Amino acid sequence: MRTLEWQRQTYLNGYLGQQLPVSPDWAMLEVQATAAMTPEAAAYIGGGAGLQKTIERNRTGFDQWQIVPRMLVNVESEQPGITLFGHTLPSPVLACPIGVLEMVHPEADLAVAKAATEVGVPYIFSNQASVPMETCADAMGDSPHFFQLYWSRSRDLVLSFVRRAEACGCSAIVVTLDTTFLGWRVKDLALAHLPFLWDKGIAQYTTDPVFRHIVSQMRAQLPPDLTGLPTAEALTFSQIYNNPTLTWDDLSFLREHTKLPILLKGILHPDDARKAIDCGMDGIVVSNHGGRQVDGSISTIEALPAIADVVAGQIPVLFDSGIRGGADMFKAIALGATAVCVGRPYVWGLTLAGQAGVREVLQQLMNDFDLTMRLAGCRSVADISRESLTQNQLTRIF
Ligand code: FNR
């Protein structure tokens, strides 16, 4: 539904005593969803690394920039869409890859896939999904979906995941670089809880023929009786999922083995963005993994302008970590992002209302962005530029 109609309908529904399925006040939504989670899920979803400073800065970073609305521009018509890797999107937003969603809802990734399809938002399937990519892809049909890859110690397994992504119609591979190890996640450590050891979030693996072969080989090294221990699958996963030896040279392997566009997720330095282009990559995601990896890291909104300058429009620049509303989206786009990815907020919607909750969160974000864009005097995404912002010093543009 178009933004103004949606807004009008929402107020009319209120007149009839009916409220939105999930709160548009996302601070409230987070509190409500967190209260509905198990302690383990709340720690895993909400938690970040160390003192949680990166999570904090991912938010305060946005406060350094203010939108400067312009008046008397004809903004009657609604044009918040973009094109990305051949897809026309209703809004410059994608759904982040988020692992282990079964911790908050039994339908997990499948609910997100269906909700994203309903509103035309591309969904990046997580390598740590609770539902195999083929099932989600089936539910999405022609709606755009990407696959996020963690590059494990087995190149055969990497290739197997990529082949499956190609076969189920994914239109890009997003390689996450920032998780060579799990960060120092104090909330998970305090509960000594790692969901993968409980067979959660490893559905891409357990449905994979190469992984199953690796498990059968590993079985020989495991005690014959695993009573009271994690499964052979979980133990095998924990030994091979990450690959700290990975370097820029490895990317040529992937480049040679797939024609799909490849995006690198986790870029925070302009030199790394330049290297991505030099290695023939098709896009980057400026991300610090929602503050889960390096405590005290640069926030993504601080990292973005210098990265956008070196990329200079050669490849799409996606952006995540800290997006909590339309104004954040507007600022990221003004500072050079092609589109943004939303993470935890849709998990809050999923927790409270399943598929409908995810759809509502995505729709709210798109509508908030559309209103912000037009109220700022921009007729389309192309009209949004650095001139639309000022940076805590009024002299900059006045
Ligand atoms: C993530 N993220 C993530 N990234 C990735 O590449 N693969 C994954 O499996 C996961 N899993 C995951 C689980 C949870 C619980 C969270 C919160 C995050 C990172 C995610 O894609 C994205 O970078 C962040 O979520 C963005 O930050 P915000 O907006 O959620 O704060």
Side-chain angles (χ1 to χ4, degrees):
M1 195 191 295
R2 299 181 143 239
T3 305
L4 297 183
E5 254 173 77
W6 182 93
Q7 194 184 37
R8 186 167 168 273
Q9 191 62 51
T10 299
Y11 288 128
L12 279 174
N13 289 346
Y15 190 81
L16 301 171
Q18 191 187 332
Q19 304 225 316
L20 288 171
V22 300
S23 175
D25 172 350
W26 284 3
M28 169 89 80
L29 180 64
E30 178 175 11
V31 171
Q32 291 169 339
T34 306
M37 293 177 196
T38 62
E40 289 80 9
Y44 188 70
I45 306 295
L51 300 176
Q52 319 288 302
K53 291 290 178 190
T54 306
I55 290 189
E56 195 180 307
R57 199 159 179 113
N58 279 343
R59 294 297 312 133
T60 55
F62 281 98
D63 297 337
Q64 293 175 24
W65 296 94
Q66 282 77 43
I67 300 167
V68 187
R70 301 300 304 271
M71 298 299 124
L72 293 176
V73 180
N74 181 347
V75 288
E76 163 96 327
S77 78
E78 185 176 33
Q79 294 171 0
I82 58 159
T83 56
L84 185 69
F85 299 119
H87 298 287
T88 303
L89 311 186
S91 182
V93 63
L94 297 87
C96 285
I98 300 251
V100 210
L101 290 174
E102 69 203 277
M103 290 182 94
V104 298
H105 195 276
E107 252 205 298
D109 311 74
L110 187 56
V112 183
K114 290 179 187 165
T117 306
E118 284 185 273
V119 290
V121 168
Y123 180 25
I124 308 174
F125 301 152
S126 166
N127 198 100
Q128 299 314 129
S130 302
V131 177
M133 61 180 109
E134 290 82 0
T135 309
C136 290
D138 266 0
M140 294 195 73
D142 291 337
S143 214
H145 41 282
F146 300 1
F147 174 67
Q148 174 264 320
L149 174 75
Y150 282 132
W151 194 307
S152 66
R153 285 179 194 268
S154 160
R155 278 195 171 183
D156 289 343
L157 183 59
V158 167
L159 264 193
S160 183
F161 280 180
V162 169
R163 292 283 168 264
R164 288 171 57 194
E166 290 168 341
C168 74
C170 290
S171 28
I173 304 287
V174 179
V175 187
T176 299
L177 304 179
D178 56 24
T179 313
T180 36
F181 313 102
L182 287 180
W184 183 251
R185 299 186 185 167
V186 291
K187 296 185 190 215
D188 294 333
L189 288 169
L191 296 172
H193 184 264
L194 184 65
F196 314 114
L197 290 182
W198 301 84
D199 284 332
K200 294 190 170 131
I202 57 171
Q204 311 292 19
Y205 295 81
T206 51
T207 53
D208 190 277
V210 172
F211 180 74
R212 286 208 292 256
H213 180 67
I214 299 172
V215 174
S216 67
Q217 287 177 324
M218 286 277 210
R219 256 182 226 280
Q221 299 162 32
L222 296 173
D225 181 10
L226 289 178
T227 310
L229 291 174
T231 60
E233 287 76 12
L235 289 172
T236 306
F237 164 81
S238 70
Q239 295 203 17
I240 65 160
Y241 79 96
N242 66 337
N243 185 351
T245 70
L246 209 64
T247 69
W248 292 96
D249 293 337
D250 291 296
L251 294 176
S252 60
F253 172 78
L254 198 57
R255 186 67 291 168
E256 283 158 19
H257 282 88
T258 185
K259 292 201 165 46
L260 288 181
I262 305 172
L263 290 84
L264 300 184
K265 178 170 182 277
I267 299 294
L268 292 167
H269 194 293
D271 288 350
D272 285 348
R274 200 176 284 121
K275 282 187 189 164
I277 296 173
D278 292 347
C279 290
M281 300 292 108
D282 304 282
I284 57 171
V285 187
V286 176
S287 171
N288 59 30
H289 214 106
R292 298 161 74 74
Q293 288 300 97
V294 177
D295 193 27
S297 158
I298 187 169
S299 72
T300 46
I301 200 72
E302 289 169 303
L304 178 62
I307 291 174
D309 282 348
V310 308
V311 172
Q314 296 173 75
I315 53 173
V317 176
L318 306 189
F319 173 96
D320 76 28
S321 300
I323 292 288
R324 296 294 180 269
D328 299 340
M329 273 181 74
F330 184 96
K331 290 177 187 179
I333 287 163
L335 294 173
T338 311
V340 307
C341 309
V342 61
R344 290 184 181 91
Y346 82 69
V347 185
W348 304 329
L350 177 69
T351 307
L352 293 174
Q355 177 183 339
V358 178
R359 184 188 58 226
E360 183 68 20
V361 163
L362 296 176
Q363 188 70 63
Q364 286 178 8
L365 181 60
M366 293 195 287
N367 289 349
D368 180 4
F369 171 70
D370 181 38
L371 279 181
T372 304
M373 180 180 92
R374 290 153 80 185
L375 288 171
C378 298
R379 283 159 305 191
S380 70
V381 171
D383 279 354
I384 303 173
S385 73
R386 283 193 201 177
E387 302 296 307
S388 313
L389 303 183
T390 184
Q391 190 179 21
N392 280 359
Q393 34 189 319
L394 296 179
T395 50
R396 190 179 158 93
I397 63 161
F398 296 125

